[in-house]
Amino acid sequence: MKAEPLSLLITILPLLATLSICVVLSNPSKAAENNPVDWTEREFALIQSLSLSQLPPQPPSPSNRYADNPSAASLGRAIFNDARFSANGEVSCATCHRQDYGFTDDLPRGLGIGVANRRTMPIVGMAYQKWFFWDGRADSLWSQTLGPLENPVEHGIDRHQVQQLVSAHYAQPYQQVFAGDATNQPVDQVFANTGKALAAHVRTVLPETTLFDLYADALRSDSNETSILTTAETRGLRLFVGKAKCVNCHNGPMFTNGEFHHSGTPDNGETDLGRGAAFSDLETTEFGFFGKWSDADPQADGDHIRFLDRNTHKYAGTFKTPTLRGVSDRPPYMHNGAFNSLAQVLNNYRAVSGSTLADEVFHGDLTDRDLVDLEAFLGTLSSNSNDFHN
Amino acid sequence: MHWLLLLLLSIFVLPDTAGAMDAIGKVRRERPEVLDTSATVATRYGTLQASYETDFLEVPLNGVHSWRLSLQDKQGQPVTGADIVLTADMPEHLHGMTTTPQVQDTQTPGLYLVRGMNFHMPGYWEVTLDISEAGSRHLLRFNLIVGENQRGPDRKGADES
C-alpha cells in the first residue's frame, strides 16, 4: 500500500510533536519530580551509611596474629604474584584476581589449571568480611587463601609443594616474619603461615573513593555540590535505598552485608547448594578459626562462628552478597557468571521479583526507567582508576 | 479451615519455597509510623522490666556483638536465674538473624549477657524476650531501627516510608 505524501505528513506530524514533548519531559535537566536534593531523613541516613567515609579501620583478625604485619603483607604480596605456586608454573593468585580488572577476571568461571566451578570473587575490602568464598566455607581470610592452592583446577599443588617453594624462594623473609625455619617446621604450620602472609597482603587491598562517595560527602557538608550525580544516577540511588530494596543486602560502606542470600540467578540445570553445603566444611577444616593453627582465643573470639545459624535447608542455594564497589568495571556477574551486563542482572532481579523462590528476591515493581537509573547509579561506584591502595 | 490450609502449606509448600526465610507461621507487618524504640521495656503492670546496653553508641549494622541485658522486678530488684530465650526478627522481611544468639548468666545479679547478636540488614527489627522465672512467664519486646542513625546538618522532613 502506498500512502499519499500529504496524508503521511498529517499522520506523522502529531507523532513527531508528541515525541519531542516526550524528549523534553525525559530530559534530566527538566525533570521536576523527585528533586534530587530533597532526601528524607531515612534516605539520607542510608546514603551516609554507604559512604566510604563511614568505613572504619580494618577490624582485627584474631585468628591471624600477622594480619597487620607489613613484612608479612610484603611476603604475601610476593607469593600472591608468584606463578611458581602452581602445577604448571603459570598460575598465581593474580592470574584470576587481576589488579587491572578489579581483582577479579573477565570470565564466567575462574580459569587456573582447569575451569573452576564458580566465578572469581573480587577481593577488595576482604578485611571487612566474616566469611569467605561464595558459600562462606572458610571462616578466616588466611584459611580461604589456602583453598585455591590445593584445588586441582586452581593452583593444583599441595601443602608439601608450598613448603618446598617457600623454603626455596622465601626462606629469609619467612624466617623474619614467623621466626622459624620453613624447611624444618611441620608442613601444616608452613602452609598455615603462608596463608597468613597472603591474608596480610589481601587485607591491604582497599576501595577507592568514587563519585558516589563524593556525593555523599557533599550531601553531609551541605555544600550543595549535588550535581556530582546526574538526575538519573540520583534517581537510581533513591531506588537503591528505597523501593528496589538493594540496600537490604548491599549495605554498609562496602555495599555488602557479607551474608548469604537468594538472588534468583538461573543455574542452567547445574544445582549449586552454595551456603547450604558449606557448614560441614566449616566444621571439618583443620585450618579453621578454632583449629590448631589459629591464633584466636577460642573463648573470647569467633562469636560469628559460635552462634552461626547452620540451617542447611534455609541457606540452600544462597550465595554471599558481593561488594558493588567497582561493579560496573568487572563483568560478568553472579556466582556462576550468568550475566554479561548489569542490565541483564537488573532485568533478572525484576523477572524473579515476586516469584515463589524466596521472599528476599522481591525488589519492588521496577519500571524500565527504574532499571536504567539503577544501572546509572551503579556506575557511580567505580573510581575510574585501577590504582588501588596497596 | 484456615488453620488446616496453613498447616498443609507449611508442611508441603513453604519448606521448598521459603529459602533463606523462616517464614512459616509469620505474618508480614510494615513498620509502624510511630515506633517506640526505647532500650527499656516493661510488662503492662510493671511486674518485669528489661533494658539492654551495647558497647556502641548505636546498635551496629552487620557487626556481631553482645548485649548486656538487665532484668528488674516491680520493686526495682534484680531478677536472677531467669530462663531467657531471645529471638530477633524483621517483621517486614519475614526473617530473623543469621545467628542464633544465646543468653548467659553473669556474676552480677539481674545482669545477663547476650552473645551472637547480628543485625545484617538496615531497618525495623523486633527483639523478643521469652522470660521464665519462678513459675511465671513473660514476653517482652524491644523495637529497633538499625542502620538509619546518620544525622546530617539540620535535616528536616518526615520519613515517607
Side-chain angles (χ1 to χ4, degrees):
Chain A
M1 196 174 85
K2 191 180 171 191
E4 293 291 324
L6 186 64
S7 68
L8 192 66
L9 199 64
I10 289 168
T11 316
I12 286 177
L13 264 180
L15 282 175
L16 279 176
T18 315
L19 198 65
S20 59
I21 290 169
C22 286
V23 168
V24 168
L25 283 179
S26 65
N27 185 330
S29 60
K30 296 277 194 325
E33 87 278 30
N34 284 347
N35 175 3
V37 188
D38 188 19
W39 296 104
T40 66
E41 220 171 276
R42 177 176 175 275
E43 287 170 334
F44 179 86
L46 287 171
I47 290 167
Q48 293 307 319
S49 73
L50 293 163
S51 166
L52 204 54
S53 60
Q54 297 298 313
L55 191 72
Q58 286 133 292
S61 175
S63 66
N64 179 5
R65 72 173 71 147
Y66 310 98
D68 298 311
N69 177 325
S71 303
S74 167
L75 172 61
R77 181 175 188 160
I79 296 175
F80 187 92
N81 291 290
D82 191 338
R84 288 173 298 199
F85 285 71
S86 64
N88 63 2
E90 293 175 8
V91 179
S92 73
C93 306
T95 303
C96 297
H97 299 288
R98 288 168 43 189
Q99 185 162 353
D100 67 344
Y101 202 78
F103 287 93
T104 178
D105 56 30
D106 57 358
L107 305 166
R109 290 163 196 231
L111 183 62
I113 297 297
V115 180
N117 64 344
R118 295 188 189 127
R119 166 119 181 78
T120 303
M121 292 206 88
I123 58 169
V124 178
M126 280 298 113
Y128 295 89
Q129 298 266 307
K130 296 188 286 287
W131 304 106
F132 303 88
F133 294 119
W134 281 105
D135 56 10
R137 66 185 181 276
D139 57 15
S140 73
L141 184 54
W142 66 271
S143 164
Q144 182 279 325
T145 64
L146 301 176
L149 288 168
E150 288 196 323
N151 187 329
V153 296
E154 297 187 49
H155 296 249
I157 54 175
D158 63 26
R159 60 196 70 178
H160 296 278
Q161 288 165 283
V162 168
Q163 181 175 33
Q164 287 160 13
L165 287 158
V166 169
S167 302
H169 307 293
Y170 299 101
Q172 195 271 328
Y174 184 94
Q175 172 80 41
Q176 187 202 334
V177 175
F178 300 109
D181 183 348
T183 315
N184 297 329
Q185 284 183 338
V187 62
D188 282 355
Q189 184 176 8
V190 178
F191 193 44
N193 282 342
T194 304
K196 289 175 183 179
L198 283 166
H201 164 57
V202 173
R203 279 170 67 85
T204 66
V205 181
L206 296 170
E208 280 215 320
T209 303
T210 68
L211 221 49
F212 162 73
D213 301 310
L214 297 177
Y215 178 82
D217 290 350
L219 210 57
R220 198 173 60 251
S221 67
D222 257 0
S223 74
N224 291 325
E225 286 174 38
T226 45
S227 60
I228 293 169
L229 296 192
T230 66
T231 304
E233 290 162 350
T234 312
R235 272 199 88 247
L237 172 55
R238 175 164 265 152
L239 290 162
F240 190 93
V241 298
K243 177 174 129 182
K245 303 177 189 296
C246 312
V247 78
N248 285 354
C249 301
H250 294 286
N251 59 47
M254 284 310 301
F255 282 78
T256 172
N257 61 358
E259 294 288 348
F260 302 85
H261 300 284
H262 284 98
S263 60
T265 305
D267 63 7
N268 300 320
E270 293 176 47
T271 305
D272 187 341
L273 291 176
R275 184 58 162 170
F279 300 117
S280 59
D281 284 342
L282 278 176
E283 278 150 28
T284 54
T285 177
E286 57 213 295
F287 299 106
F289 192 96
F290 294 124
K292 180 178 180 184
W293 303 108
S294 169
D295 301 316
D297 174 351
Q299 301 304 316
D301 304 323
D303 275 5
H304 65 292
I305 308 162
R306 185 177 289 107
F307 299 109
L308 176 66
D309 178 4
R310 293 165 195 251
N311 183 334
T312 54
H313 180 78
K314 200 195 289 186
Y315 293 101
T318 65
F319 295 90
K320 193 167 76 169
T321 311
T323 178
L324 293 182
R325 288 194 171 271
V327 70
S328 64
D329 297 336
R330 48 172 165 79
Y333 300 107
M334 318 311 283
H335 65 277
N336 56 2
F339 301 120
N340 291 321
S341 69
L342 286 175
Q344 288 176 0
V345 175
L346 293 165
N347 256 314
N348 192 67
Y349 275 132
R350 176 167 67 175
V352 298
S353 185
S355 74
T356 55
L357 174 71
D359 188 72
E360 65 188 347
V361 299
F362 182 66
H363 288 277
D365 297 315
L366 300 174
T367 66
D368 288 348
R369 184 183 167 191
D370 289 345
L371 298 194
V372 169
D373 292 341
L374 277 166
E375 190 181 350
F377 166 65
L378 292 174
T380 71
L381 300 179
S382 291
S383 63
N384 296 319
S385 158
N386 291 314
D387 181 25
F388 286 84
H389 301 149
N390 68 329
Chain B
M1 291 302 284
H2 283 158
W3 64 270
L4 186 61
L5 187 67
L6 269 176
L7 185 70
L8 289 172
L9 266 176
S10 62
I11 292 170
F12 296 111
V13 184
L14 287 175
D16 288 325
T17 59
M21 307 287 103
D22 24 46
I24 298 164
K26 291 181 182 173
V27 177
R28 187 193 311 278
R29 283 175 291 119
E30 297 300 319
R31 183 195 305 196
E33 280 189 26
V34 180
L35 192 64
D36 179 1
T37 57
S38 65
T40 300
V41 293
T43 52
R44 179 172 298 184
Y45 301 110
T47 41
L48 194 62
Q49 176 182 296
S51 57
Y52 71 87
E53 292 180 335
T54 71
D55 289 338
F56 308 91
L57 287 174
E58 305 282 354
V59 170
L61 171 66
N62 270 333
V64 178
H65 64 287
S66 298
W67 278 19
R68 290 180 295 279
L69 186 70
S70 302
L71 288 189
Q72 289 184 344
D73 66 13
K74 203 168 189 171
Q75 286 74 41
Q77 295 301 306
V79 175
T80 56
D83 183 13
I84 307 168
V85 176
L86 180 147
T87 48
D89 280 295
M90 298 194 82
E92 293 170 293
H93 297 191
L94 298 180
H95 66 71
M97 291 181 165
T98 58
T99 50
T100 311
Q102 284 182 7
V103 186
Q104 303 172 347
D105 284 321
T106 70
Q107 303 286 338
T108 310
L111 182 68
Y112 302 80
L113 186 67
V114 188
R115 289 176 69 179
M117 298 292 279
N118 183 24
F119 299 98
H120 66 289
M121 289 190 183
Y124 167 32
W125 286 83
E126 284 180 349
V127 174
T128 307
L129 306 173
D130 184 341
I131 304 166
S132 310
E133 41 93 28
S136 68
R137 185 176 173 206
H138 299 286
L139 285 177
L140 283 173
R141 178 169 285 168
F142 298 107
N143 299 309
L144 292 91
I145 301 295
V146 177
E148 297 177 17
N149 44 34
Q150 307 282 335
R151 291 287 176 266
D154 193 26
R155 303 301 304 175
K156 51 185 186 292
D159 191 334
E160 68 185 12
S161 63

